[in-house]
Amino acid sequence: MTVQDHQPAIGLKRVLKSVLAVLAGFITVAALSTLTDIPLHILGIYPPEGEPMFEPGLNILALSYRIAFTILGGYVTARLAPSNPMTHVLVLGGIGLVMGSLGAMVSMNANLGPDWYPIALVVTAVPAVWLGGWVHQKTL
């Protein structure tokens, strides 16, 4: 066996690590956001799930912790990336941009709250994950 015989396995392993790094960042953001939303709905701070939330202060609260969790997701992705952490972070940001845009279209058409809120999620997706990746780079 030559070294070339092992290259596909090494490449596949690196790709798998890359996918898992981005997936871990995505799960970090989604899980923490959901786990924060649930008690706020249960406690009656937020309206029941599926009902509109037009209170600006509540939307600012939700946006604030979502940005913080998105920064953390960028950090997690950069930390777990097998190489080129900022490339992985930008992939996560692209996924967030696409998912956020789809979510914005759905929520704005469903009149679930102010239009600025889903737009703000889209606009902050890439800068927030980038900041998380940057923080990781600075702690090396």
Side-chain angles (χ1 to χ4, degrees), residues 36-48 53 55 57-59 61 65:
T36 303
D37 287 346
I38 290 171
L40 293 173
H41 284 291
I42 290 171
L43 294 171
I45 296 167
Y46 285 177
M53 186 166 83
E55 172 60 41
L58 296 179
N59 285 287
L61 172 63
Y65 63 75

Side-chain angles (χ1 to χ4, degrees), residues 118-135:
I119 292 168
L121 291 174
V122 172
V123 169
T124 59
V126 174
V129 294
W130 180 89
L131 182 58
W134 180 82
V135 168

Side-chain angles (χ1 to χ4, degrees), residues 105-120:
M105 287 187 281
V106 169
S107 67
M108 288 166 61
N109 288 329
N111 199 30
L112 293 176
D115 289 347
W116 65 262
Y117 175 75
I119 292 168

Side-chain angles (χ1 to χ4, degrees), residues 5-20 82:
D5 293 334
H6 294 289
Q7 291 295 54
I10 294 170
L12 182 59
K13 190 174 184 179
R14 182 173 286 240
V15 169
L16 183 58
K17 284 183 177 182
S18 290
V19 169
L20 290 175

Side-chain angles (χ1 to χ4, degrees), residues 11-93:
L12 182 59
K13 190 174 184 179
R14 182 173 286 240
V15 169
L16 183 58
K17 284 183 177 182
S18 290
V19 169
L20 290 175
V22 174
L23 185 60
F26 182 83
I27 290 171
T28 297
V29 176
L32 290 175
S33 295
T34 301
L35 291 173
T36 303
D37 287 346
I38 290 171
L40 293 173
H41 284 291
I42 290 171
L43 294 171
I45 296 167
Y46 285 177
E49 185 68 36
E51 287 190 21
M53 186 166 83
F54 284 98
E55 172 60 41
L58 296 179
N59 285 287
I60 290 169
L61 172 63
L63 180 63
S64 299
Y65 63 75
R66 279 179 166 71
I67 289 172
F69 296 153
T70 303
I71 293 168
L72 180 60
Y75 180 90
V76 167
T77 295
R79 174 75 178 85
L80 297 176
S83 63
N84 304 314
M86 292 307 282
T87 300
H88 289 76
V89 165
L90 291 176
V91 168
L92 176 62

